Amino acid sequence: MTVDVLRRPASADRQARVAVAVLFFTNGALFANLLPRYPQIKADLGMGNAAYGLAVAAFPAGAIAAGLAAGVVIRRMGSARAAVTGTLLTGAGTLVAGLADSVVLFAGALFLAGAMDAVTDVAQNAHGLRVQRRYGRSIINSFHAIWSIGAVTGGSMAAAAIALDLSRGRHLTVSAVVFAVAVCVALRFCLSGPETETEPKLGTGGDAGTETVVDIGSAQGPAAESGPGSRGERRVGPPTAGRRTAYVLGALVLIATAGTLVEDAGSSWAALYLSGSLSASVTLAACGYIALVGAQFVGRIIGDRLVDRFGQRTVARAGGLVVVAGMGLALAVPTVPGTIAGFAAAGFGVATLVPAAMHEADELPGLKPGSGLATVSWLMRLGFLLSPPVVGLVADAAGLRVGLLVVPFAGLLVLLLAGVLQPGRR
């Protein structure tokens, strides 16, 4: 007989949950303070769209380069210390990028910031999963919703700094110092002890007293978005099952990449499109990215309930349709309010895509625990790497409005591939 044991988390566990929330909030806010400054930096450094696209691609390139090293760093330093150290260095890279007087220095600083952000991303997710195992139920999605709040806060801080005519140096120094203090305080309340530990598995459908040994070395990227982190071994099926698994895994990578394409369009190009092509004020132009991540937050808050009711497949298809219709209409009839609403629709539509792809990859048969999830996490970063230069090249040739067709294209891709996701309960 199976008995689920539920208990109230200890005070230390609740404090650790708040501490991890601070890490996620800071990670979302820190780099978002730089994004609305991109148009000014582009103009000051005299970059064309293609050069700009290549320069901002340095951030995801750094993340890809450092992704495999993140596990080693965590094993040596611990997930909490690795997350805090990564945050401090991300802040330093962001500050240098904001003050750069050459394209090379700008790209180099973004590469450093991206590499350190990748370490922070893996580490904070890993520590969040440690806290989740203490709780005995899924809480990881709430951390990612808080990341969205942080991104909105960071973008709003930047918009306010621009409106107040604060210099980039003063603005980004204040941002880096404030968030450095926040994560250093949060570190005091994170969980102590080794990263590989035996925790009681509570309230997750297993037998009371069942223990799960978790090896942090298998954590990759934002993989923690998939939910509770303990899984049994997969059964390896016949060759046809292996081919089916490979096909599904490839489709899941494309679904997750579609989500990253939309996010990158908001972070790298929304302010430029609004301020350049549509002649919006610099302050108003910052609202495109804020609208995207704000709507994404709303989608993540209600996403779990929608998925429980309708299934991953239906929610993803509906989201893809919202992206196609919302951003397609915004590009077809370009206005400032309509474009901001289009970016909001795109953010809402992709809110559940990465968590859905991660969850499905984690459940694929015939794979070692964590390998499918790690593959999706690793390869989806290509969306962040390839999108800026591709959009930049198209923008130089045909205009940024045409380049931003990548957003409705991503929504269409989701509509075509969502069949690999789980349907709702009958």
Side-chain angles (χ1 to χ4, degrees):
M1 179 177 177
T2 299
V3 179
D4 290 341
V5 180
L6 300 177
R7 62 173 175 84
R8 290 177 59 85
S11 175
D13 299 337
R14 294 195 298 271
Q15 290 176 351
R17 181 176 184 177
V18 174
V20 174
V22 171
L23 296 179
F24 272 82
F25 178 89
T26 299
N27 184 246
L30 191 58
F31 193 66
N33 267 274
L34 178 65
L35 296 176
R37 295 286 194 171
Y38 273 1
Q40 295 173 333
I41 296 172
K42 179 176 180 287
D44 289 347
L45 298 181
M47 288 185 283
N49 287 324
Y52 168 79
L54 289 170
V56 298
F59 186 89
I64 291 175
L68 293 179
V72 177
V73 173
I74 293 170
R75 285 193 293 271
R76 292 186 177 181
M77 299 182 63
S79 56
R81 290 185 181 278
V84 171
T85 301
T87 298
L88 298 177
L89 293 175
T90 299
T94 299
L95 178 58
V96 173
L99 298 176
D101 57 3
S102 70
V103 177
V104 173
L105 181 58
F106 175 64
L110 287 182
F111 186 91
L112 170 65
M116 294 302 99
D117 181 76
V119 173
T120 300
D121 185 34
V122 177
Q124 68 187 11
N125 275 291
H127 207 75
L129 282 175
R130 285 189 64 191
V131 177
Q132 176 173 276
R133 289 190 291 273
R134 297 288 188 95
Y135 269 66
R137 55 185 172 86
S138 178
I139 60 173
I140 198 70
N141 286 322
S142 67
F143 293 138
H144 288 275
I146 289 170
W147 184 96
S148 297
I149 296 176
V152 172
T153 301
S156 301
M157 288 172 62
I162 293 170
L164 294 172
D165 200 27
L166 289 180
S167 67
R168 288 200 300 271
R170 183 176 299 178
H171 159 219
L172 295 174
T173 298
V174 170
S175 170
V177 171
V178 167
F179 295 124
V181 171
V183 296
C184 288
V185 172
L187 179 61
R188 296 182 56 196
F189 299 97
C190 289
L191 298 176
S192 59
E195 294 300 316
T196 302
E197 59 184 332
T198 301
E199 301 281 5
K201 183 181 178 184
L202 302 175
T204 56
D207 293 339
T210 298
E211 294 184 337
T212 302
V213 178
V214 182
D215 183 0
I216 195 61
S218 64
Q220 297 288 336
E225 289 188 84
S226 62
S230 57
R231 301 163 309 277
E233 293 289 339
R234 273 45 164 204
R235 288 180 298 175
V236 179
T240 53
R243 288 193 292 270
R244 166 68 179 171
T245 296
Y247 162 75
V248 172
L249 185 60
L252 294 175
V253 168
L254 291 176
I255 289 172
T257 302
T260 65
L261 286 174
V262 173
E263 290 181 22
D264 179 75
S267 63
S268 297
W269 300 103
L272 284 174
Y273 179 65
L274 285 162
S275 63
S277 301
L278 302 184
S279 301
S281 67
V282 177
T283 303
L284 188 59
C287 293
Y289 175 69
I290 295 171
L292 186 146
V293 294
Q296 187 181 59
F297 164 74
V298 174
R300 284 173 171 172
I301 287 293
I302 67 175
D304 287 334
R305 281 174 287 179
L306 292 176
V307 168
D308 286 342
R309 182 170 182 179
F310 300 108
Q312 297 277 21
R313 183 183 302 172
T314 299
V315 173
R317 282 176 173 162
L321 184 61
V322 169
V323 173
V324 172
M327 200 62 192
L329 181 61
L331 294 173
V333 186
T335 64
V336 172
T339 299
I340 293 174
F343 278 112
F348 184 82
V350 302
T352 65
L353 292 186
V354 172
M358 294 294 180
H359 174 77
E360 296 292 337
D362 202 35
E363 299 296 323
L364 284 176
L367 299 177
K368 294 180 180 179
S371 60
L373 190 147
T375 300
V376 171
S377 172
W378 176 255
L379 292 178
M380 78 174 188
R381 291 183 182 272
L382 291 176
F384 287 115
L385 178 63
L386 298 177
S387 176
V390 169
V391 173
L393 289 170
V394 173
D396 275 349
L400 187 51
R401 182 181 170 193
V402 176
L404 285 175
L405 286 173
V406 68
V407 176
F409 171 78
L412 181 62
L413 189 64
V414 173
L415 284 171
L416 294 175
L417 297 176
V420 301
L421 299 173
Q422 290 296 318
R425 297 191 182 97
R426 296 183 182 278

